[in-house]
Amino acid sequence: MIEVKNLRKTFHLKSGDVVALDGVSFSIEDGTVYGVIGYSGAGKSSLVRCMNLLEIPDEGTISIGDYQGIEARNGVPYYQGKPMTARQQNQMRRGIGMIFQHFNLLERSTVYDNIAYPLKYTGRSKAEISSRVCELLELVDLRDKIDAFPSQLSGGQKQRVAIARALAASPKILLSDEATSALDPDATESILTLLKDLNRKLGITIVIITHEMAVIKTIADRVAVMEDGKIVEEGTVYDIFSDPQATITRRFIASASPLGKIDKMIERNSSLTQVKPGEVLVKTTFLKDCVGEHILTTMAQRFHIDLNIILANVEYLHGNPLGGTIGILSGPQENLEAGIRFLEENHVRTEVLKDGRVD
Amino acid sequence: MAEWIKSIAPYLYTYRAKFFAACSATFQMFYKAGLIAFVIGLCFGILLVITKKGGIRQNAVIYQVTNLVINVFRSIPFIILLIFLIPLTRAVVGTAINVKGAILPLVFGTVPFYSRQVEVALSGVEEGKIEAARSMGSGTLGLIFRVYLHEALPDLIRVTTVTAISLIGLTTMAGAVGAGGIGSFAINYGQNQNHSDIVNVCVIVLLAVTFVLQSIGNSLSKRTTNRSLFQVRRGNGGTEI
Ligand SMILES: Nc1ncnc2c1ncn2[C@@H]1O[C@H](COP(=O)(O)OP(=O)(O)OP(=O)(O)O)[C@@H](O)[C@H]1O
Ligand SMILES: [Mg+2]
């Protein structure tokens, strides 16, 4: 288990102090994919870089891999009561793989030599290194590129090499800082699939930093939402998506969902959002345990309500429906009320955006 | 051949023994001072890069001191440096004249320039590569040898070539301390005695040397971009740095 407690990091710049991490705590179960999402400057990179001590936190404790209870005090990391030596820090980092947005491969080294880089620290013989590299190339599906130079590879292929390199020394933990942000959608998808496979096959714990909700949705089990150096919300991906609490989380989800457009439409007073007297414009959100879209049809039939759907976005995450619809309900007043109550009882959150009944 | 040279450069032919001695003196100054300056300059360049702000061994004091020393020596014209260093040279090598006496000033004249060039070349290595190597557990030596020097090799070859060529230029001034060499030969036997053929040949020799150095540099630099200089195939295992 990875455990981070009360991590703090402030950068002292000429222009003033920047608090990058303001008391961050979380824990990650072994073998899970943990997502961290936040806008630019939220402190995500600082967080992962503190996790493998590329950056030394000012304060806080970190338990990661073989190093349980590293404690930072005044920007000095202590392990088992003593300040960590440079050697110990290097040793610790060798147990944690890391991949980056810009791949960071050695350009003057072939794919083979790039992947072999960390293996030289494992005391393997030439032959052992060679067979391990081949094994890794197999794993990331790049056998034929063994003698290529990074400049001869596509972005997705470079990231595969970077993944192979990060996993070469068999770490149980992989940190990924925006690893798909520089890739096109196809390459992003293939890299995410690869990461998920590695997580399943090798049981590697993956911490994935991103500013894209889609990435979280695709591979993460749990997610933490960061803002201004703090984790503002944390939970399973489904819970966060279906029932976001923090404003920033809602913004993330709205930006990723077509339903987010409705606010603009209402603002512009679009003809689609006009309600006649007696009608209501409602937003429905499917919560966990909800049976799915057809609950709306059931409601319309049972309560004799006309349902005019304007926007809909429903997808299934881990088998649960996620998303919702925006539509106009019209019918006798008491039927509308009963219908809305029916939806609530069936795990559909209903918000009235515009109400024609009060006019 | 001898007849031909005699006909186009009569005075050179007359002083041919002195000419060869001059070439040999220049060559000795070049390779001796060059080798020493190469090693020292490389070390200083590395020191600058790793100790500067944000470097892998950030150290403001070492950086500022090194920086200052380099700037001071860079701003002294070589001909002045040559004279200024006479007492030091005498104390270190026992004599301040001849080829032997010229080596130390040549090193002093070359190292500051070369250190800067090395610093620039190494600074061209992207931050991200250093970061990745650190994440894989490389320490200071590992970062220097396996990332900085390794990735910057084509640029290092380029700046070394430039420095070597400027060193050839400096050796021609070493005549001022009686070190001989092509420069002083051209002045003493060419210019001062009005033998223009000697001056011309000296120019041609220096041009040729410069051209050869530049070509070697260019070709090595090109060949090392995306390639190992000495192709060590399939990881040379074991050594932990
Ligand atoms: N090495 C550094 N020196 C100074 N300030 C830094 C440094 N690293 C990060 N910061 C500052 O700390 C804050 C958090 O930065 P961080 O890189 O962790 O954010 P992020 O969430 O990763 O953003 P992005 O999505 O843009 O990568 C920012 O305000 C940034 O300017
Ligand atoms: Mg970042």
Side-chain angles (χ1 to χ4, degrees), chain A residues 11-13 18-21 38-47 49 55 101 177-178 209 211 226:
Chain A
F11 291 104
H12 305 282
L13 305 177
V18 179
V19 180
L21 297 176
Y39 288 111
S40 187
K44 310 178 296 289
S45 296
S46 304
L47 177 62
R49 297 180 74 250
E55 200 77 71
Q101 178 172 4
D177 190 354
E178 304 273 10
I209 301 289
H211 60 265
M226 274 193 89

Side-chain angles (χ1 to χ4, degrees), chain B residues 19-37:
Chain B
F19 174 68
F20 290 132
C23 288
S24 151
T26 294
F27 177 70
Q28 287 192 34
M29 285 188 272
F30 175 72
Y31 93 85
K32 286 183 182 156
L35 276 181
I36 299 171

Side-chain angles (χ1 to χ4, degrees), chain A residues 12 14 49 52-55 87 89-91 93-94 96-98 100 102-110 112-114 116-118 120-126 129-130 146-147 149-151 165-166, chain B residues 53 57 125-143 146-154 223-229 231-241:
Chain A
H12 305 282
K14 285 212 182 75
R49 297 180 74 250
N52 62 358
L53 298 184
L54 281 180
E55 200 77 71
R87 210 189 175 78
Q89 293 183 29
N90 293 339
Q91 202 62 46
R93 293 192 195 107
R94 287 174 200 165
I96 305 169
M98 188 167 186
F100 307 84
H102 298 297
F103 326 121
N104 298 344
L105 300 174
L106 297 181
E107 253 133 280
R108 278 197 350 98
S109 294
T110 58
Y112 179 96
D113 290 327
N114 266 290
Y117 188 103
K120 298 199 180 147
Y121 294 124
T122 59
R124 285 174 162 87
S125 72
K126 240 185 205 180
I129 289 182
S130 177
I146 186 161
D147 287 323
F149 284 94
S151 58
R165 180 176 72 167
Chain B
K53 202 160 185 297
R57 280 313 248 316
V125 175
E126 289 148 50
E127 200 63 38
K129 291 177 188 165
I130 303 294
E131 177 114 336
R134 287 183 64 209
S135 81
M136 290 183 282
S138 284
T140 308
L141 283 180
L143 294 173
R146 302 185 67 191
V147 186
Y148 273 124
L149 295 180
H150 180 267
E151 285 294 287
L153 188 60
R223 280 179 39 205
T224 50
T225 305
N226 275 348
R227 220 161 291 165
S228 301
L229 180 53
Q231 288 249 325
V232 193
R233 270 324 300 146
R234 290 293 118 91
N236 49 344
T239 44
E240 177 168 323
I241 48 175

Side-chain angles (χ1 to χ4, degrees), chain B residues 132-229:
Chain B
R134 287 183 64 209
S135 81
M136 290 183 282
S138 284
T140 308
L141 283 180
L143 294 173
I144 290 173
F145 285 100
R146 302 185 67 191
V147 186
Y148 273 124
L149 295 180
H150 180 267
E151 285 294 287
L153 188 60
D155 283 331
L156 285 173
I157 290 172
R158 220 168 286 136
V159 303
T160 305
T161 309
V162 171
T163 309
I165 289 170
S166 90
L167 175 61
I168 295 274
L170 296 188
T171 60
T172 60
M173 281 185 252
V177 290
I182 296 178
S184 77
F185 179 71
I187 291 176
N188 295 333
Y189 292 85
Q191 171 65 17
N192 291 350
Q193 302 187 21
N194 228 345
H195 300 150
S196 65
D197 64 322
I198 286 185
V199 177
N200 293 345
V201 168
C202 288
V203 168
I204 291 169
V205 167
L206 291 175
L207 273 179
V209 170
T210 305
F211 178 80
V212 168
L213 284 176
Q214 189 68 61
S215 306
I216 294 174
N218 285 351
S219 124
L220 278 180
S221 161
K222 212 178 206 161
R223 280 179 39 205
T224 50
T225 305
N226 275 348
R227 220 161 291 165
S228 301
L229 180 53

